[in-house]
Amino acid sequence: MIESLLDYDVAIIGAGPAGLAAAIELKHQGVARVAVLERDAEAGGIPRHCGHPPFGMREYRRVLSGPAYARRNVERARAAGVELRLRHSVVALGEGGVIDAASPEGQVRIVAKRVLLATGARETPRSTRLISGDRPFGVINTGALQSYLYLERLKPFSRPLIVGSELVALSALLSCRRTGIKPVLMIEQAEKPLARWPLALFPRLCGVPFECSTRLESIEGRERVEAAWIRGSDEELRRIDCDGVLLTGRFVPESSLVRLSHLELDAGSGGPMIDQYGRCSDPAYFAAGNLLRPIETAGWSYREGRRIAALIARDLTDPLPRSHPGIRLQCLPPIRFCVPQRLVTPIGDGLAHLQLRTERPAKGILSVRGSAGVVWQRQVHLLPERRILIPLDRLRLAAGESGLTIELEENRERSR
Amino acid sequence: MPLKDTFLQRYDVAVIGAGVVGCAMARRFALEGARVVLLERGSDILAGASKANSAILHTGFDAPSGSLELECMQAGYREYLQIHTRFDLPLLRSGALVVAWSEEDEQRLPGILAQAHDNGVDDVSLIDRKRLRQLEPALAANARAAISVPGEHLIDPWSTPLAYLQQALAHDAKVLREAEVASGDFDGEWWRLSTARGTLMAREVINCAGLHGDRLEHRLLGRSSFTIHPRKGQFVVFDKAAARLIERIVLPVPSERTKGIVLTRTVYGNLLVGPTAEEQQERDHAALDQAVLQGLIAAAVERIPALAGVPVTAAYAGLRPATERKEYRIENYPDRHWISVGGIRSTGLTAALGIAQHVHRRYAERHRHSAVETPLWPKLPNLAEHRERDWQRPGYGEIVCHCELVTRREIDAAFASPLPPGDLGGLKRRTRVCMGRCQGFYCGARVAELSAGHFTRALAEPLVANRRGGSHGKDHADD
Ligand SMILES: Cc1cc2nc3c(=O)[nH]c(=O)nc-3n(C[C@H](O)[C@H](O)[C@H](O)COP(=O)(O)OP(=O)(O)OC[C@H]3O[C@@H](n4cnc5c(N)ncnc54)[C@H](O)[C@@H]3O)c2cc1C
Ligand SMILES: Cc1cc2nc3c(=O)[nH]c(=O)nc-3n(C[C@H](O)[C@H](O)[C@H](O)COP(=O)(O)OP(=O)(O)OC[C@H]3O[C@@H](n4cnc5c(N)ncnc54)[C@H](O)[C@@H]3O)c2cc1C
């Protein structure tokens, strides 16, 4: 039963870096009634439980730990007059900006002129990875590990196997090191670590052996993890004695609300479809931050939140160009996705770039093709988990364009 | 009787094994006025076959005619319909469709219809392609025809046995967990049972040990009337968005060659695909297999194309306590004061109440008590998505699990209940916590914190900052 009805100019879902930055910007732009709905008891988002640097370099010109950074964002938002509605879990998105939330005081219906979705991203758990074997306790993601360590001060294991080598695996290593957890091994399925050099050296510096081209085959243990079975490049199956498995990375947008709603979802990014204004298929909805794509840094999400908030502020007084029919962007493998997925002409001053990701390392000529041929191209060297940007103001679009294709013409010799 | 035994706790009936069958058994005997003890080796109930099933309340339309299995299923079905509202247990009247995907399948439909009629399930009917499309538009175009079985329903597989046991407890039954029955002697009148939690005396033993039933019988009776051949069933659970795609349970046409898979919603609001049927030796590990899970997903997408790309929430596996024969193995040993309930393979959730009635009738041939006159009906918290959930009522404090919307109030209530969870699995089964799409990414740590002190084995240890790098306390003050 709906207990109360609220209305706002802009309702923001999620008080992570993107949501808070957006709220602050909206207030600075003079939007009167701005609320952030956050399901947790505290605002701040994922950085709240990343008790390690680096955060805040661009926003605060200094290196902060996650919790310190989160606190600053919250303070800025409060100072700007943002209404923070904590313990408000949004459960449904309705047409035209009507959203339902659960709160301990009862269910709330919120009617907002515009809604910004900023629910972030999370790592892929064991179940979605379809990992073979038993299902004991102690198979968790980095995000969970960090909440154990930094929020609850608990240690879920002491000798885990770490799976994956994206940047987030390094925060896992850091956190382990600080809390006396001794990973027995770190493995990566790809031939090379996914995080950039010189960070790739980090496991060894922490005294944790590191193996590439090695995959997790199965997990063993009745109640708790007792061992993990892995297979390396020699195809030999090995049993690794450990008491936990830490599954790092492979982020997916936390887009379950979108999936259950009328909004269009992009299968490639896993987030909502947006145009260059961050606007979803229902023009009352916008999205920003890691919900848009897996995954960027907190700083990137912050700036994206701020940028899209400025566009929302404008849309409230001076409506943005209609988004339908727009120019649909299509990606061909190995390009996994492109955000935004739709462009509205004239390109104007929305987001500055197309953001792309590749599914595997590749070299070649990246091009954007329209009905009259190539509208942009460049020689590139693509690596997974590395951002690829195409500046939107460089696309030479023909009038009446309806679709663009992004493709990579790979160099003959497949790169590694 | 040895003198030392005079001080031991005495019961009319010891039920061994707290699966759904043991819980229903404890309830039936407690209602019939017997002093009951339920002995379970796991740290919580439902530690065996009963923790993972498809949660269908079957009509018995396709069970072997004239079998004890059919009799128990139908008696169980009827009793569940009579009592579920008194426990506040959910019933999702989904109905089922036995869908024919090939010409061969289609040819079998009339036989299935006839069998259903034989079994007294009269409301089944044949449905043609056009009607099938109207009923279930998300099914793939090659769905040719179906038999509609409106009486097949969905229930809550965890709250149901818990309700049975709570009613038994309300009528003075005892339950001992972590009490594996290791050995026992029978002196012609009393069984003396040694468990991991001490020794006790019972006039009658009812073996409901599921996957270990034959071993238990062997250990205590010196022989066993059946042999368990565990049969694994793996499942994939799709995220909530998928549950909208079908209304009814989609059952396969059974054939000699293929097993076929079931697609069904759950009362928890997900969509389930499975189970497989894989013979194995191992009785305690129901291991997942990536290739099999991928196969299930592919099969599901083939039948419901819109499932393509819907994320998987969970994967799990259960073991059916099958035996060398197809039928239930309920063996009565009057001179040993022992009844074995074995081989409750794949219909036990439905049949449990009926099995308990049947076993009690056998028992009543030798012992009688005066039945409880006014039974108490403990109410179970609702976990079903089609009814009001706790988060929809004010005052819940905090949502702990965001994916499944489980509240602090529900978790506190589980710990304060007459049968608090003994391990994380037990807490999950009582509340759905950590069972959603993130599988603990957001709430795992909070749950560990909230459950501290409640489980036999703690989930996580308190953090003691290590000497060298223990500087994270500082992070809170570094700006
Ligand atoms: C383990 C780990 C380590 C990291 N380390 C670093 C690092 O060192 N440096 C760095 O720059 N980045 C790091 N990141 C990435 C960084 O955390 C993210 O980029 C950033 O938090 C993204 O911000 P966001 O606002 O998009 O989402 P989030 O921070 O995820 O915030 C989303 C918010 O939305 C809320 N929410 C979700 N659904 C709902 C709902 N239905 N109703 C109400 N509220 C909802 C959530 O509770 C959350 O507070 C790390 C991430 C992880 C997981
Ligand atoms: C994949 C699958 C799908 C299914 N789908 C359905 C369905 O949709 N509908 C339906 O009606 N049925 C279904 N079933 C069947 C149903 O789940 C089983 O029939 C039922 O769970 C069997 O219960 P049980 O009590 O006999 O055995 P169990 O649940 O195995 O209970 C036995 C208990 O005894 C304990 N135990 C063992 N040895 C000892 C000892 N020595 N001392 C003390 N305790 C001991 C164990 O720990 C265990 O808890 C399904 C089963 C599977 C596996």
Side-chain angles (χ1 to χ4, degrees):
Chain A
M1 204 183 70
I2 303 289
E3 308 270 336
S4 55
L5 208 71
L6 300 167
D7 71 302
Y8 294 103
D9 294 314
V10 183
I12 296 169
I13 307 176
L20 290 174
I24 297 163
E25 178 67 19
L26 284 162
K27 291 305 287 186
H28 287 169
Q29 300 255 351
V31 177
R33 296 165 309 150
V34 179
V36 182
L37 308 165
E38 167 56 51
R39 63 189 183 184
D40 274 338
E42 272 177 65
I46 296 272
R48 274 201 319 121
H49 41 91
C50 298
H52 53 75
F55 286 90
M57 262 114 71
R58 301 268 292 264
E59 302 88 297
Y60 299 101
R61 315 234 164 262
R62 51 185 300 190
V63 180
L64 299 171
S65 76
Y69 170 72
R71 243 186 346 267
R72 288 202 171 199
N73 290 343
V74 175
E75 279 160 18
R76 266 194 188 175
R78 287 198 200 280
V82 171
E83 183 180 335
L84 287 178
R85 291 200 152 252
L86 302 177
R87 294 192 171 167
H88 277 57
S89 303
V90 176
V91 294
L93 309 176
E95 278 171 43
V98 180
I99 60 188
D100 288 343
S103 91
E105 287 76 48
Q107 281 174 260
V108 193
R109 172 154 298 169
I110 292 142
V111 181
K113 291 188 186 129
R114 299 290 180 274
V115 175
L116 176 69
L117 309 172
T119 51
R122 59 177 165 79
E123 292 160 286
T124 306
R126 186 246 160 99
S127 55
T128 315
R129 297 177 189 222
L130 304 178
I131 296 171
S132 299
D134 297 329
R135 295 179 304 123
F137 180 76
V139 183
I140 62 172
N141 291 125
T142 322
L145 174 69
Q146 313 253 55
S147 337
Y148 273 103
L149 300 176
Y150 299 113
L151 297 182
E152 311 293 351
R153 313 212 142 243
L154 290 169
K155 206 161 96 171
F157 42 53
S158 48
R159 296 172 296 112
L161 168 76
I162 301 184
V163 180
S165 66
E166 292 170 37
L167 213 45
V168 65
L170 303 179
S171 51
L173 277 172
L174 266 174
S175 297
C176 287
R177 207 169 120 95
R178 294 175 150 224
T179 51
I181 293 174
K182 300 219 158 39
V184 291
L185 176 67
M186 179 161 159
I187 59 172
E188 167 56 52
Q189 195 170 313
E191 291 164 33
K192 282 185 182 175
L194 298 178
R196 276 180 227 217
W197 175 266
L199 294 175
L201 267 179
F202 197 72
R204 294 208 177 92
L205 294 179
C206 290
V208 177
F210 177 59
E211 291 180 25
C212 284
S213 306
T214 302
R215 46 182 205 274
L216 174 61
E217 288 286 335
S218 77
I219 294 170
E220 182 188 317
R222 240 178 80 86
E223 286 186 18
R224 291 191 161 259
V225 175
E226 289 158 25
W229 292 83
I230 62 172
R231 203 186 289 277
S233 45
D234 56 5
E235 289 300 310
E236 217 54 61
L237 197 59
R238 263 184 302 155
R239 185 178 189 275
I240 303 294
D241 200 51
C242 55
D243 68 351
V245 176
L246 186 62
L247 301 172
T248 71
R250 291 219 214 158
F251 280 84
V252 287
E254 174 64 2
S255 55
S256 45
L257 277 176
V258 176
R259 212 173 271 284
L260 285 167
S261 76
H262 60 298
L263 300 175
E264 274 180 66
L265 192 94
D266 173 27
S269 66
M273 296 248 193
I274 56 161
D275 61 19
Q276 78 267 31
Y277 301 112
R279 186 168 46 176
C280 302
S281 55
D282 173 344
Y285 286 87
F286 289 72
N290 278 337
L291 169 66
L292 291 179
R293 92 271 90 193
I295 162 188
E296 270 296 350
T297 60
W300 180 281
S301 301
Y302 188 97
R303 290 191 296 281
E304 195 168 60
R306 193 171 57 198
R307 182 83 202 101
I308 290 174
L311 297 164
I312 296 175
R314 204 172 92 202
D315 191 34
L316 285 170
T317 48
D318 171 17
L320 296 169
R322 277 192 44 202
S323 90
H324 282 283
I327 303 171
R328 282 276 179 153
L329 287 148
Q330 194 202 351
C331 304
L332 299 180
I335 309 299
R336 261 172 69 202
F337 63 78
C338 150
V339 173
Q341 296 85 349
R342 198 172 53 228
L343 298 174
V344 183
T345 43
I347 297 273
D349 51 359
L351 293 171
H353 301 99
L354 291 177
Q355 308 173 38
L356 276 59
R357 287 289 151 86
T358 173
E359 58 198 23
R360 58 175 165 79
K363 275 185 190 161
I365 297 172
L366 182 66
S367 51
V368 181
R369 203 177 288 278
S371 49
V374 170
V375 298
W376 179 91
Q377 72 175 25
R378 206 177 74 198
Q379 176 74 38
V380 292
H381 179 186
L382 308 178
L383 290 169
E385 310 311 324
R386 190 122 2 130
R387 85 171 63 109
I388 309 155
L389 299 176
I390 300 180
L392 276 169
D393 59 3
R394 301 286 164 76
L395 301 185
R396 295 182 313 271
L397 296 182
E401 193 70 83
S402 68
L404 294 173
T405 305
I406 303 175
E407 60 192 3
L408 182 76
E409 191 189 319
E410 287 189 68
N411 293 355
R412 194 88 38 82
E413 221 177 303
R414 215 175 111 176
S415 68
R416 311 183 13 134
Chain B
M1 159 189 330
L3 185 62
K4 60 182 197 310
D5 290 352
T6 40
F7 302 106
L8 295 177
Q9 280 290 347
R10 276 160 199 278
Y11 299 91
D12 296 319
V13 177
V15 178
I16 304 179
V20 62
V21 174
C23 292
M25 201 66 68
R27 166 181 178 269
R28 172 54 44 209
F29 279 83
L31 291 178
E32 299 291 350
R35 270 178 58 74
V36 178
V37 65
L38 177 60
L39 303 168
E40 167 57 48
R41 74 173 191 153
S43 35
D44 202 2
I45 66 165
L46 312 186
S50 304
K51 74 175 157 207
N53 56 54
S54 330
I56 304 174
L57 187 71
H58 293 294
T59 54
F61 76 96
D62 58 351
S65 302
S67 63
L68 177 61
E69 179 174 10
L70 176 62
E71 180 194 318
C72 292
M73 282 168 79
Q74 296 192 327
Y77 182 94
R78 279 192 303 271
E79 190 174 349
Y80 185 85
L81 291 194
Q82 276 161 21
I83 66 176
H84 74 96
T85 51
R86 315 188 80 164
F87 286 121
D88 246 352
L89 288 173
L91 179 70
L92 189 57
R93 296 177 187 269
S94 59
L97 295 169
V98 184
V99 175
W101 299 97
S102 64
E103 206 181 316
E104 194 190 330
D105 278 357
E106 201 173 347
Q107 281 160 9
R108 288 175 187 267
L109 296 185
I112 296 172
L113 196 74
Q115 163 123 46
H117 288 151
D118 269 0
N119 291 355
V121 185
D122 296 324
D123 57 353
V124 295
S125 57
L126 207 62
I127 292 213
D128 65 10
R129 185 192 292 255
K130 189 161 153 255
R131 179 88 183 111
L132 184 56
R133 290 220 68 76
Q134 285 167 350
L135 291 177
E136 298 293 345
L139 291 186
N142 61 331
R144 304 166 67 96
I147 285 182
S148 155
V149 192
E152 299 276 298
H153 298 326
L154 294 168
I155 63 175
D156 176 342
W158 302 314
S159 304
T160 298
L162 185 63
Y164 301 162
L165 184 51
Q166 286 203 9
Q167 190 173 37
L169 296 180
H171 291 289
D172 302 324
K174 285 255 162 348
V175 56
L176 294 178
R177 289 175 282 183
E178 308 218 341
E180 177 164 9
V181 176
S183 61
D185 311 295
F186 181 59
D187 66 5
E189 194 183 351
W190 288 91
W191 273 99
R192 186 172 183 279
L193 299 174
S194 306
T195 81
R197 301 262 313 264
T199 304
L200 53 88
M201 308 286 287
R203 206 189 296 274
E204 183 89 16
V205 170
I206 305 187
N207 168 10
C208 302
L211 293 156
H212 294 271
D214 56 339
R215 291 184 175 165
L216 182 74
E217 204 177 280
H218 202 89
R219 218 177 306 145
L220 272 72
L221 295 185
R223 66 194 148 113
S224 83
S225 51
F226 59 93
T227 313
I228 293 289
H229 294 281
R231 195 176 303 150
K232 181 163 71 184
Q234 301 189 53
F235 289 99
V236 171
V237 183
F238 287 93
D239 202 9
K240 306 264 185 268
R244 296 182 296 195
L245 295 173
I246 50 169
E247 174 88 29
R248 294 161 191 78
I249 305 162
V250 175
L251 300 172
V253 172
S255 83
E256 272 82 64
R257 281 186 301 107
T258 56
K259 268 283 165 234
I261 53 155
V262 179
L263 289 150
T264 174
R265 289 190 285 155
T266 67
V267 294
Y268 313 124
N270 297 309
L271 190 128
L272 196 73
V273 53
T276 55
E278 307 162 64
E279 301 264 346
Q280 67 171 47
Q281 293 296 313
E282 169 56 51
R283 295 175 185 219
D284 290 319
H285 292 255
L288 298 174
D289 184 293
Q290 186 166 68
V292 172
L293 298 175
Q294 282 163 344
L296 281 174
I297 294 172
V301 171
E302 201 183 309
R303 286 163 181 77
I304 306 180
L307 274 177
V310 175
V312 166
T313 291
Y316 65 93
L319 296 176
R320 303 173 186 85
T323 68
E324 69 277 26
R325 280 193 251 139
K326 232 185 141 201
E327 65 260 28
Y328 282 5
R329 312 297 289 274
I330 301 184
E331 312 283 344
N332 187 1
Y333 300 88
D335 52 335
R336 306 297 299 272
H337 290 196
W338 179 288
I339 301 175
S340 272
V341 182
I344 312 302
R345 207 175 67 249
S346 50
T347 50
L349 179 64
T350 304
L353 295 170
I355 296 170
Q357 291 173 19
H358 173 84
V359 169
H360 181 260
R361 281 196 297 274
R362 297 285 82 78
Y363 170 88
E365 291 160 8
R366 37 187 190 269
H367 305 289
R368 280 190 172 278
H369 312 278
S370 48
V372 168
E373 275 171 24
T374 38
L376 302 166
W377 296 95
K379 299 269 181 282
L380 272 285
N382 173 51
L383 303 184
E385 212 54 29
H386 63 290
R387 302 173 60 207
E388 187 181 50
R389 296 272 317 277
D390 192 61
W391 64 266
Q392 292 168 302
R393 292 197 311 267
Y396 59 68
E398 161 192 356
I399 288 179
V400 175
C401 167
H402 297 296
C403 302
E404 296 297 308
L405 295 166
V406 180
T407 68
R408 175 72 191 269
R409 184 166 61 189
E410 285 175 294
I411 291 177
D412 290 345
F415 284 126
S417 72
L419 192 73
D423 52 28
L424 180 62
L427 182 65
K428 288 177 167 185
R429 292 191 289 270
R430 280 170 186 73
T431 61
R432 287 171 50 179
V433 79
C434 293
M435 310 256 303
R437 58 185 81 84
C438 90
Q439 297 277 308
F441 177 91
Y442 295 114
C443 75
R446 182 77 180 128
V447 170
E449 152 80 9
L450 291 175
S451 59
H454 289 286
F455 299 149
T456 352
R457 281 168 289 279
L459 292 179
E461 288 167 37
L463 195 63
V464 207
N466 69 332
R467 255 168 282 128
R468 233 164 21 89
S471 61
H472 58 267
K474 196 177 134 273
D475 295 334
H476 293 274
D478 68 355
D479 67 333

